[in-house]
Amino acid sequence: MKERLREAEEESSSQASPGSSMQPSASLLNLLLLALLAGLEPSKTQISPKEGWQVYSSAQDPDGRCICTVVAPEQNLCSRDAKSRQLRQLLEKVQNMSQSIEVLNLRTQRDFQYVVKMEAQMKGLKAKFRQIEDDRKTLMTKHFQELKEKMDELLPLIPVLEQYKTDAKLITQFKEEIRNLSSVLTGIQEEIGAYDYEELHQRVLSLETRLRDCMKKLTCGKLMKITGPITVKTSGTRFGAWMTDPLASEKNNRVWYMDSYTNNKIVREYKSIADFVSGAESRTYNLPFKWAGTNHVVYNGSLYFNKYQSNIIIKYSFDTGRVLAQRSLEYAGFHNVYPYTWGGFSDIDLMADEIGLWAVYATNQNAGNIVISQLNQDTLEVMKSWSTGYPKRSAGESFMICGTLYVTNSHLTGAKVYYSYSTKTSTYEYTDIPFHNQYFHISMLDYNARDRALYAWNNGHQVLFNVTLFHIIKTEDDT
């Protein structure tokens, strides 16, 4: 087909008159023809079949869009979608070609009128020549002047005749290409069978809906990888916390910002990430108590933080501006007794995941090793506790995902997730999940279940890490 295309282009360009006033339009038509022929190259779509469903989900890309990678069984009908799209594109091209032929037809009719006019003038010239032949002497000068005027009138018709010849050839070529297109369309329709484009499109939409419903059920998984970070903003001191509410609606994207790890009571609120980046505060809150550390959490519209120089946990409502609850975390060390490796009064770490609200700390009774407690979000009462064997002072930071605590081995360069403890099975394992500590010092690292991301304060930079979780989907056929 490419050879036919090249021949058509050469033939068309060689037969068109260089002096023709209609030459630009002929070139445009040739380009249109070349584009249509090029569009007939078949597209190749390959879909790798898989036996079962496996899902890897990742929080979001730099534009804030949620990412989910699904390895699904082969869908035979979906493989036809590319051909359906090609069919629709070819149909549009046929319509465009039909319109072009209609334009050519109108122009040809116009040129035909010029030809008719020229024919009449040629007949008049013939009569003049006869008169000159009859009376060559007396009327020679007069008739030659009239002849010159007639020839001047005929000169503009020469490029019209040239364009007429070119258009006639183009019409012939268009007819041939339409016949070729018809053959291609017939072949695609035979391959598609009984399913037209719209039906296939509806099937794809139905599959997308089912996958979204499936993802809503994928609330828990095992941490496989941490990627990033994405630097959202650079502000504040070396130490601090920033967060969003994992239980907020999709339209509620408020951000809360708490600079420093001590001697501060001011919480800054932003309506969105964009406002946070631009520094457009929507509100500030003056807490009734100073906080300790950077390990606060916003959960279901309330701020949970450790009261300065105590093991008391405070629940503060952003809506009412009041303390809703406070409770002492029994035996928990505080004020740099059992902090993370970087210090900063990080003895008590409050966090939330898909299951609920948690406190991570250490006690003398557990020899300074990490204790995990699940808290009642209303009363702050400890519902259940798990004692681990990992020293709190050897942990860089920690976060909960699906009831499993993940602990890093440092807050400095080279840090990685080194240890995990499952509250579901009361078992632990040593892991090796590296992540990029871009700004060399992490003083806050918390998981957000809604965003499927880790929020971090990295040496005065507010950054996001994407997490990849591995899910096992059990179907009704599983026993």
Side-chain angles (χ1 to χ4, degrees):
M1 180 174 291
K2 292 182 179 177
E3 294 177 357
R4 281 208 324 273
L5 193 153
R6 194 180 304 109
E7 291 172 0
E9 182 181 12
E10 293 173 355
E11 180 182 356
S12 184
S13 60
S14 64
Q15 292 182 358
S17 172
S20 172
S21 61
M22 296 296 181
Q23 185 62 28
S25 61
S27 299
L28 289 174
L29 288 170
N30 287 335
L31 290 174
L32 172 64
L33 178 60
L34 295 174
L36 290 171
L37 291 172
L40 294 176
E41 293 294 333
S43 60
K44 297 181 180 180
T45 303
Q46 295 182 355
I47 299 179
S48 301
K50 296 292 180 183
E51 294 286 330
W53 289 84
Q54 289 187 345
V55 177
Y56 290 84
S57 64
S58 185
Q60 55 183 214
D61 62 11
D63 296 327
R65 298 173 296 191
C66 183
I67 299 174
C68 172
T69 303
V70 180
V71 181
E74 180 179 7
Q75 300 291 327
N76 293 328
L77 294 177
C78 290
S79 64
R80 301 171 179 163
D81 185 63
K83 293 187 179 295
S84 300
R85 184 165 55 255
Q86 184 185 16
L87 174 61
R88 183 177 59 173
Q89 293 173 350
L90 288 174
L91 290 173
E92 292 175 355
K93 291 177 181 179
V94 169
Q95 293 176 356
N96 293 335
M97 290 178 67
S98 299
Q99 294 174 359
S100 300
I101 290 175
E102 183 65 25
V103 172
L104 281 173
N105 186 45
L106 292 174
R107 194 166 67 194
T108 303
Q109 291 178 4
R110 181 200 64 191
D111 294 345
F112 181 71
Q113 296 300 322
Y114 280 107
V115 173
V116 172
K117 180 180 178 182
M118 186 179 69
E119 183 181 9
Q121 291 180 336
M122 292 294 291
K123 289 179 179 179
L125 282 174
K126 186 177 181 181
K128 290 294 181 183
F129 276 118
R130 286 178 180 176
Q131 290 179 11
I132 292 172
E133 194 68 31
D134 293 339
D135 194 354
R136 191 177 300 174
K137 294 180 179 180
T138 59
L139 300 176
M140 181 69 71
T141 302
K142 178 181 177 181
H143 286 305
F144 266 106
Q145 182 62 33
E146 291 179 358
L147 180 62
K148 183 178 182 301
E149 293 175 356
K150 291 294 183 182
M151 289 300 295
D152 290 340
E153 292 179 6
L154 288 174
L155 285 176
L157 294 175
I158 294 176
V160 173
L161 284 173
E162 293 292 339
Q163 184 62 48
Y164 183 83
K165 290 165 56 181
T166 302
D167 289 348
K169 288 186 175 295
L170 283 175
I171 290 175
T172 302
Q173 293 172 4
F174 270 125
K175 288 180 179 179
E176 179 65 25
E177 291 307 323
I178 286 179
R179 282 194 290 269
N180 293 339
L181 279 173
S182 299
S183 301
V184 173
L185 293 175
T186 301
I188 293 177
Q189 287 176 334
E190 291 176 354
E191 290 186 25
I192 290 178
Y195 301 105
D196 60 13
Y197 175 81
E198 290 300 327
E199 185 171 353
L200 286 174
H201 183 62
Q202 291 301 320
R203 287 172 177 262
V204 171
L205 291 179
S206 175
L207 176 60
E208 288 180 352
T209 301
R210 290 167 57 193
L211 287 175
R212 290 182 183 276
D213 292 339
C214 178
M215 283 305 300
K216 290 179 181 178
K217 298 176 182 178
L218 295 178
T219 56
C220 279
K222 182 178 180 180
L223 179 65
M224 302 296 292
K225 184 170 65 172
I226 301 175
T227 56
I230 301 167
T231 301
V232 178
K233 188 177 182 179
T234 300
S235 64
T237 64
R238 293 184 64 194
F239 317 99
W242 72 293
M243 64 213 83
T244 60
D245 190 345
L247 294 186
S249 64
E250 292 183 359
K251 296 182 179 180
N252 182 353
N253 295 302
R254 289 186 295 174
V255 177
W256 290 273
Y257 177 90
M258 301 170 69
D259 192 12
S260 186
Y261 64 88
T262 186
N263 292 328
N264 200 348
K265 298 193 297 181
I266 302 300
V267 181
R268 306 184 189 280
E269 180 182 284
Y270 304 83
K271 289 185 177 179
S272 65
I273 290 286
D275 285 351
F276 174 61
V277 172
S278 65
E281 294 179 20
S282 61
R283 190 173 176 183
T284 59
Y285 302 88
N286 192 355
L287 301 178
F289 312 106
K290 295 179 181 179
W291 64 71
T294 59
N295 306 116
H296 332 293
V297 65
V298 174
Y299 190 70
N300 199 23
S302 293
L303 171 67
Y304 297 81
F305 67 95
N306 176 208
K307 183 180 177 181
Y308 181 58
Q309 290 187 333
S310 74
N311 59 6
I312 296 174
I313 301 172
I314 304 294
K315 177 183 179 182
Y316 176 85
S317 171
F318 285 126
D319 292 334
T320 65
R322 298 172 56 188
V323 173
L324 299 183
Q326 54 181 313
R327 183 181 292 270
S328 175
L329 195 59
E330 190 174 17
Y331 305 122
F334 62 94
H335 204 61
N336 274 348
V337 173
Y338 296 118
Y340 288 128
T341 54
W342 65 274
F345 305 141
S346 55
D347 303 70
I348 298 174
D349 192 349
L350 301 171
M351 56 190 73
D353 67 354
E354 294 85 352
I355 295 175
L357 185 66
W358 304 85
V360 173
Y361 53 98
T363 64
N364 290 333
Q365 288 77 0
N366 196 38
N369 294 324
I370 291 176
V371 176
I372 308 168
S373 291
Q374 187 174 6
L375 305 179
N376 182 297
Q377 63 171 304
D378 297 321
T379 65
L380 302 180
E381 180 183 0
V382 174
M383 300 166 60
K384 187 176 180 180
S385 293
W386 294 260
S387 296
T388 76
Y390 197 91
K392 178 73 162 50
R393 284 180 167 272
S394 298
E397 277 289 342
S398 67
F399 53 90
M400 296 286 292
I401 299 180
C402 300
T404 296
L405 180 71
Y406 294 92
V407 181
T408 69
N409 63 346
S410 174
H411 65 283
L412 301 173
T413 302
K416 61 183 178 180
V417 177
Y418 181 72
Y419 175 89
S420 67
Y421 186 95
S422 171
T423 59
K424 182 178 179 180
T425 61
S426 298
T427 58
Y428 71 91
E429 65 176 327
Y430 289 95
T431 60
D432 187 8
I433 304 175
F435 61 95
H436 183 41
N437 188 349
Q438 184 168 349
Y439 303 107
F440 317 117
H441 188 288
I442 291 179
S443 60
M444 169 250 178
L445 187 65
D446 279 332
Y447 173 70
N448 186 294
R450 185 186 72 164
D451 299 337
R452 297 280 176 89
L454 293 173
Y455 283 63
W457 192 289
N458 196 183
N459 204 7
H461 300 78
Q462 293 74 52
V463 304
L464 287 172
F465 292 94
N466 288 336
V467 299
T468 300
L469 306 180
F470 180 71
H471 307 268
I472 301 296
I473 305 176
K474 293 186 178 181
T475 63
E476 295 178 357
D477 296 334
D478 294 338
T479 55

